[in-house]
Amino acid sequence: MASAASQQQSKLPPAWQPKRRQLLLMLMMQATAAYFPTDLLDSRSHGQPPFESFLTSAIKELEGLASSTPKLHALLSRAVSDPVTLASEIRSSPLAALASLFGNPTAVANSSYPIAVAHGMGDSCFNPGMKSITKFAGTALNTYSVCLPTADNLIMDTIKGFLHTMDASVDDFAKRVRADPKLANGFNAFGLSQGNNIIRGYIAKYNDPPVRSFLSICGINAGVAAFPHCSPKTPVVGIVCEVLTEVLGDLAYNPLVQSILFQANYFRDPTKTNSTPYLRHSELAKWNGETGEDMSAHKANWAKTQRFVWVMGTEDTMVWPREGEHWAAPTDKYPKDLSALPMKQTRWYTEDTFGLRTAEEAGKNFFETFKGEHIRFTEAELQQWLVKHFV
C-alpha cells in the first residue's frame, strides 16, 4: 500500500516530480535565511554549530507554528506535495489580481527605452493577460517589453507571489533585469497591484541599471491596513484568505511569518505601527524608513529615477485604504476614524524617510486616477499613461 507522501506526490505531472524537493528547499532556505542572522549561517568560519543545526531549528520553528497556525502549516505542506492545485487555488482567490486580456493599441508612439513589467498576486508572466498587456505596452511605444517573473514557470511564479517575501522577490527581479542585455542601459517599468512593491523595492535597493520612469498602477506601496476581500461576507473565501485571517493578527509581525508571506510583508496594522514587533520585523516598516535605520543608500537610489507615476482606482475595494495607492495612510485615530491621511501629512513624507518628499519637491511625482476596480483600467487609459510618462 502506497504511503500518504507517495500518494500526494503522484498527483504531480511527471515534469514536476523533480521540482518537489526544489520547492521544499526554497521554502526552508527562505525561512532560515530570514530567521537567522547571515553571519550565523557560516558556521565553519565562526566555529559555531554546523549549518544543518540551524536548518533543523528552522524546521522546528515551522513545526511549532503548526499548533497556532494550522492553516499556514497545511498550506506550506501543500506547496510541496501538490503545487499545481495550490497555484490554481491562489489564482482563484478573492485577492488574486489577474490582468485582463488586452488587444492591440490604436496608435503607436516611440520610446527610446525598453519596458519591464511586474505582475500582481495570483497572476503570472506566463498567463495570457500578462502576456497581452506586456505586448500591448511594447507595441504602443514601438519598443522592447518584457514581463519579469519570479520563477521559470507558471506554477512557481504564481506560488511565489504568495509564499515569497518582498525582499526575495526584489532580488529575483534584479537578477532577471541584469540578465537581460536589452535592459542594460536603463528602462521604464510598470506594475500591477503588488508587482509595484517589487519594482519599488528594486529602485530602493538596486536601481542599477536604473528605472527611468515608474508607473505604479494600483500599487500597494504604502501597504494595506486590511484585506476587505477576505471579509466573512465574501461568498468564497478560500485558502489564501483563511491563512491571512489566521496570521494577520498577533502573529502578523512574527519573524517567521514575515519570512514566508508576501502579503504579511505589506500588511500595516495602524494600531501596531509603534510596536516593537512591527518596527523590528516588518519588511514594509524597513522599506518606509519607519525603523530609524540609515536610509541614505535607498534615498540615493530613489533619486536616480526621473519620474514616479502613482495611479489609483477610484472604486478600488482590494486595497484599503485605496488612497494608499497615492501614498496616503490611515490616521492615528483608526479605527474610530477611517479616513486617510494625505501623503503630505504622513511621516514618510514629512520626514522624507526614503526620498518621497525629495522627489515631490523635484517635480518627479505624478498622480493619475481611473474610474474602476482594482487594476480594471481600459486599454485607452493604459496607452494614455504610457505615452504621457514613458515617451
Side-chain angles (χ1 to χ4, degrees):
M1 184 175 179
S3 67
S6 63
Q7 288 176 343
Q8 289 279 19
Q9 187 167 348
S10 67
K11 295 180 181 179
L12 301 177
W16 267 89
Q17 298 289 344
K19 291 184 171 61
R20 184 175 184 271
R21 176 173 171 80
Q22 175 188 342
L23 181 56
L24 175 60
L25 289 174
M26 179 196 79
L27 292 171
M28 292 296 99
M29 291 294 290
Q30 178 176 308
T32 303
Y35 197 71
F36 297 104
T38 304
D39 59 338
L40 294 182
L41 299 180
D42 188 1
S43 60
R44 289 171 175 77
S45 64
H46 290 76
Q48 295 171 338
F51 169 77
E52 288 78 4
S53 68
F54 291 100
L55 182 58
T56 300
S57 296
I59 293 173
K60 288 182 178 179
E61 289 291 341
L62 285 172
E63 292 174 347
L65 205 63
S67 60
S68 55
T69 57
K71 295 185 184 299
L72 174 59
H73 191 270
L75 185 140
L76 290 171
S77 298
R78 290 186 55 212
V80 176
S81 66
D82 193 6
V84 176
T85 300
L86 178 60
S88 177
E89 291 184 9
I90 291 174
R91 282 195 299 274
S92 62
S93 162
L95 293 181
L98 305 180
S100 301
L101 280 171
F102 271 48
N104 296 314
T106 56
V108 176
N110 288 284
S111 172
S112 56
Y113 288 89
I115 301 171
V117 186
H119 66 78
M121 188 239 167
D123 210 343
S124 167
C125 287
F126 302 98
N127 277 335
M130 287 306 302
K131 287 182 178 180
S132 69
I133 201 169
T134 302
K135 180 181 178 182
F136 180 96
T139 303
L141 300 189
N142 193 28
T143 191
Y144 172 72
S145 60
V146 60
C147 182
L148 299 176
T150 55
D152 294 327
N153 54 68
L154 171 65
I155 304 302
M156 291 289 286
D157 193 27
T158 303
I159 290 176
K160 288 177 76 173
F162 187 59
L163 296 179
H164 205 49
T165 67
M166 293 197 303
D167 279 333
S169 298
V170 167
D171 293 340
D172 288 343
F173 186 87
K175 290 176 183 177
R176 291 178 186 273
V177 165
R178 293 176 173 181
D180 191 333
K182 294 181 180 179
L183 303 178
N185 295 319
F187 56 97
N188 294 319
F190 74 88
L192 304 184
S193 192
Q194 73 177 34
N196 295 292
N197 296 63
I198 296 176
I199 299 172
R200 177 249 173 129
Y202 170 83
I203 291 173
K205 186 174 183 179
Y206 294 96
N207 220 8
D208 180 24
V211 174
R212 174 183 176 272
S213 295
F214 172 30
L215 174 65
S216 172
I217 305 174
C218 298
I220 315 176
N221 302 297
V224 296
F227 291 90
H229 283 220
C230 285
S231 164
K233 297 179 181 178
T234 304
V236 180
V237 176
I239 191 169
V240 171
C241 284
E242 289 177 351
V243 169
L244 293 182
T245 299
E246 181 178 73
V247 302
L248 296 186
D250 292 338
L251 289 173
Y253 306 116
N254 175 287
L256 198 60
V257 171
Q258 285 286 314
S259 75
I260 295 172
L261 294 175
F262 194 116
Q263 291 69 36
N265 293 159
Y266 63 71
F267 176 62
R268 187 174 184 273
D269 185 340
T271 67
K272 296 180 180 178
T273 54
N274 292 320
S275 70
T276 297
Y278 174 77
L279 295 174
R280 181 175 294 173
H281 302 302
S282 167
E283 281 196 9
L284 186 68
K286 293 180 175 65
W287 284 24
N288 285 350
E290 297 178 84
T291 65
E293 295 179 10
D294 180 14
M295 298 291 286
S296 55
H298 293 75
K299 288 184 177 182
N301 285 334
W302 199 263
K304 295 176 185 177
T305 295
Q306 299 176 21
R307 179 178 293 231
F308 299 91
V309 187
W310 313 108
V311 181
M312 179 181 72
T314 60
E315 298 176 358
D316 196 328
T317 61
M318 183 79 76
V319 176
W320 193 88
R322 67 171 67 94
E323 293 84 0
E325 295 168 4
H326 280 176
W327 285 105
T331 71
D332 57 7
K333 296 180 181 178
Y334 174 91
K336 292 183 178 180
D337 181 1
L338 299 180
S339 63
L341 193 68
M343 178 189 77
K344 292 187 177 181
Q345 296 179 34
T346 62
R347 178 187 168 194
W348 47 70
Y349 183 86
T350 59
E351 297 182 14
D352 199 27
T353 56
F354 60 87
L356 186 63
R357 192 183 73 198
T358 297
E360 176 72 10
E361 292 173 348
K364 291 183 175 183
N365 284 333
F366 296 83
F367 299 88
E368 303 279 2
T369 61
F370 68 92
K371 185 178 181 180
E373 248 292 3
H374 192 63
I375 70 169
R376 292 297 171 245
F377 49 91
T378 66
E379 294 181 2
E381 287 166 332
L382 177 60
Q383 186 167 345
Q384 179 185 10
W385 300 328
L386 293 172
V387 173
K388 181 178 179 181
H389 299 293
F390 282 7
V391 175

